[in-house]
Amino acid sequence: GAEQREKQYRAHRGFGDRRGGVISARTYFYADEAKCDQHMETFLRCIDASGGSSEDGFSAIKLTALGRPQFLLQFSEVLVKWRRFFHQMAAEQGQAGRAALEMKLEAEKLQEALANLGIATKAESQNWFTGENLGVSGTVDLLDWNSLIDSRTKLSKLLLVPNMQTGQLEPLLSRFTEEEDLQMKRMLQRMDILAKRATEKGVRLMVDAEQSYFQPAISRLTLEMQRRFNRDRAVIFNTYQCYLKEAYDNVTVDVELSRREGWHFGTKLVRGAYMEQERERAAQIGYEDPINPTYEKTNEMYHRCLDYILEEIKHSRKANVMVASHNEDTVKFTLRRMMDLGIHPSEKKVCFGQLLGMCDQITFPLGQAGFPVYKYVPYGPVNEVLPYLSRRAQENRGFVQRANRERDLLWKEVKRRFLTGSLFSPDH
């Protein structure tokens, strides 16, 4: 029942309008399945336009536009509960405080614990933990654990997990009604149609990040698409919000999955767009704030995640990253690390993105130096797009100072060309 669900993953009337406290992101609301189909058609036209206007273009989509957000809320809760259960088991085996990928549960002890909790007999759980890696190592890591609630298994339908507050066993996955089940399938079908069109048109599809209570499900569904469509090149890009405390764990776990399964990892790194709303919701409803405490901590997280991906590019050349940032220090950090690691711009493994009309003093020099750089173009009816653009200007409070600096740089360039006699040169 709804009252048994964790606070973070319940729908709350006070935050029903997800635009509150959000000045920099588009919010979609569920009306009906027909409206989701309309959104899908708009995304298809965007993919077509991107494919027709540039080589190796990108198109961005939001999953809340393609289905009922309630499903994302429920599925996110399942994924978080399952991961938390793993961490509880790891703590009992003396591994609390380790990085997510360093935690390895001893299979024997885990099976005993599951039997003691009444979740599964030792004979039942032995069938769960089969596979080459597990057979050799005798341990279970987070990726092995996550695979147990893979969409290709039925285990999640049956599984009970302990609620550590009440001590009671609860179903991991609340039963979806027949209509909810259909809504979920339709969302997956729409994602599939978009991914196939993007592949045909040579366009990369970026799945935008959204609020933290939707994000586990969004990331998991995006991973499923990456498994299928990123076999030869990175077509599907996931988005990681570096203002989240768990960003580094999320990045490292997903990169490791791509290594094990042999597909190309694609990501867009952002700082995040929902901070004020996330903090207010956590404080009012009473759960831990998911956001890093300071802007400096967010910067550290961004550079830590970025550095990990750049190292992966160096070692395997099967990772790709878009550095979506207006922060000059972040761009300089990226260029420096690319040089250190021997990653050449022409490989197109690292690209940069800024909003149309913003930070041209970053965008144009990058492009002129041979780096793949993109402008994020908002489109739609004027009355819908203008508020978005005004919010972005509001968000970028240093916008005027940067515009002044850009004007000074342009004036300096005009003077340089005038003095060198190249003002009207056809090369320029």
Side-chain angles (χ1 to χ4, degrees):
E3 70 284 349
Q4 285 186 309
R5 300 188 61 194
E6 295 198 14
K7 290 176 180 177
Q8 187 172 357
Y9 300 99
R10 292 183 206 163
H12 289 270
R13 188 176 294 277
F15 293 89
D17 185 341
R18 301 192 304 281
R19 292 169 299 190
V22 178
I23 59 171
S24 57
R26 177 81 163 87
T27 300
Y28 290 92
F29 297 100
Y30 182 80
D32 51 37
E33 294 299 299
K35 189 69 176 171
C36 293
D37 285 333
Q38 283 178 26
H39 290 151
M40 182 187 72
E41 291 298 328
T42 300
F43 290 150
L44 286 170
R45 288 198 297 275
C46 180
I47 291 167
D48 291 344
S50 184
S53 62
S54 66
E55 204 176 297
D56 289 328
F58 281 97
S59 187
I61 65 169
K62 280 197 168 179
L63 290 202
T64 51
L66 298 175
R68 194 162 175 244
Q70 181 71 14
F71 157 65
L72 296 172
L73 206 62
Q74 286 176 276
F75 189 30
S76 289
E77 183 182 27
V78 167
L79 295 168
V80 168
K81 276 185 174 176
W82 188 236
R83 188 165 177 160
R84 195 176 296 155
F85 186 26
F86 174 84
H87 283 285
Q88 288 160 351
M89 296 289 102
E92 288 190 11
Q93 291 193 18
Q95 299 187 46
R98 288 190 186 180
L101 276 177
E102 290 173 12
M103 292 181 177
K104 297 187 190 299
L105 307 184
E106 290 181 37
E108 285 279 335
K109 287 184 182 176
L110 177 59
Q111 287 162 2
E112 284 170 19
L114 293 172
N116 292 337
L117 288 165
I119 291 170
T121 66
K122 206 162 179 185
E124 287 170 332
S125 62
Q126 272 174 337
N127 293 329
W128 301 354
F129 305 113
T130 54
E132 292 172 25
N133 295 338
L134 223 124
V136 173
S137 66
T139 60
V140 178
D141 68 10
L142 186 58
L143 292 177
D144 299 321
W145 186 255
N146 284 344
S147 70
L148 294 177
I149 52 166
D150 195 284
S151 60
R152 289 164 284 195
T153 71
K154 298 296 178 192
L155 182 62
S156 57
K157 300 278 186 192
L158 315 170
L159 200 64
L160 299 170
V161 294
N163 179 325
M164 294 302 176
Q165 277 75 45
T166 64
Q168 301 295 310
L169 291 178
E170 295 175 354
L172 181 69
L173 185 60
S174 56
R175 285 191 178 279
F176 286 120
T177 65
E178 198 171 327
E179 177 54 29
E180 284 171 337
D181 209 41
L182 281 171
Q183 286 170 353
M184 176 180 72
K185 283 174 183 165
R186 288 187 199 117
M187 179 186 276
L188 294 170
Q189 284 166 357
R190 292 180 189 113
M191 290 173 71
D192 189 62
I193 289 166
L194 292 171
K196 282 177 178 167
R197 179 71 68 89
T199 304
E200 288 165 15
K201 298 288 181 178
V203 172
R204 274 87 55 87
L205 202 60
M206 292 190 304
V207 181
D208 275 348
E210 303 194 47
Q211 284 90 344
S212 62
Y213 40 94
F214 295 134
Q215 195 53 43
I218 291 170
S219 284
R220 184 57 182 258
L221 295 173
T222 305
L223 274 177
E224 289 299 323
M225 287 207 294
Q226 288 179 314
R227 279 172 153 161
R228 291 176 52 210
F229 292 95
N230 287 11
R231 286 286 159 197
D232 302 318
R233 63 189 287 264
V235 175
I236 309 298
F237 277 56
N238 204 351
T239 302
Y240 295 88
Q241 299 156 303
C242 294
Y243 68 5
L244 292 178
K245 293 172 183 173
E246 61 184 25
Y248 183 75
D249 276 354
N250 292 340
V251 168
T252 55
V253 166
D254 292 350
V255 167
E256 177 61 22
L257 183 67
S258 72
R259 279 187 204 131
R260 288 188 192 180
E261 297 183 345
W263 43 268
H264 289 249
F265 179 80
T267 180
K268 176 176 72 165
L269 282 186
V270 300
R271 280 172 170 77
Y274 305 94
M275 183 179 74
E276 290 176 19
Q277 186 193 81
E278 291 274 17
R279 286 199 163 139
E280 186 185 352
R281 191 176 188 271
Q284 283 198 27
I285 295 168
Y287 58 88
E288 185 189 345
D289 182 356
I291 308 290
N292 282 316
T294 63
Y295 185 72
E296 289 69 32
K297 286 287 181 191
T298 294
N299 278 346
E300 282 174 28
M301 181 67 83
Y302 194 106
H303 290 180
R304 190 182 179 202
C305 293
L306 176 56
D307 202 47
Y308 186 87
I309 296 162
L310 293 174
E311 289 277 359
E312 179 65 15
I313 293 171
K314 178 194 174 182
H315 293 303
S316 78
R317 292 308 198 260
K318 290 185 83 170
N320 303 258
V321 61
M322 171 178 271
V323 181
S325 176
H326 296 139
N327 186 303
E328 288 185 30
D329 291 336
T330 292
V331 172
K332 287 173 183 171
F333 171 86
T334 310
L335 301 179
R336 192 167 59 248
R337 291 298 291 141
M338 286 177 72
M339 191 177 293
D340 294 345
L341 296 167
I343 302 168
H344 196 270
S346 62
E347 295 180 66
K348 298 184 177 180
K349 294 293 180 184
V350 181
C351 60
F352 298 85
Q354 286 90 41
L355 286 162
L356 180 68
M358 286 188 158
C359 291
D360 289 350
Q361 80 278 10
I362 293 177
T363 310
F364 291 124
L366 282 172
Q368 286 162 353
F371 290 89
V373 60
Y374 293 82
K375 281 299 196 185
Y376 193 101
V377 183
Y379 61 93
V382 171
N383 65 328
E384 288 187 22
V385 175
L386 277 179
Y388 168 87
L389 291 173
S390 66
R391 289 197 302 272
R392 296 316 296 238
Q394 182 186 344
E395 178 198 28
N396 286 271
R397 292 182 179 89
F399 178 70
V400 175
Q401 289 93 323
R402 283 201 296 275
N404 288 338
R405 186 174 170 205
E406 190 172 339
R407 182 199 60 197
D408 294 341
L409 288 169
L410 289 169
W411 181 238
K412 190 176 172 184
E413 176 66 7
V414 167
K415 285 195 284 188
R416 185 192 69 78
R417 292 188 189 182
F418 181 77
L419 291 170
T420 58
S422 60
L423 187 60
F424 301 106
S425 165
D427 294 337
H428 295 86

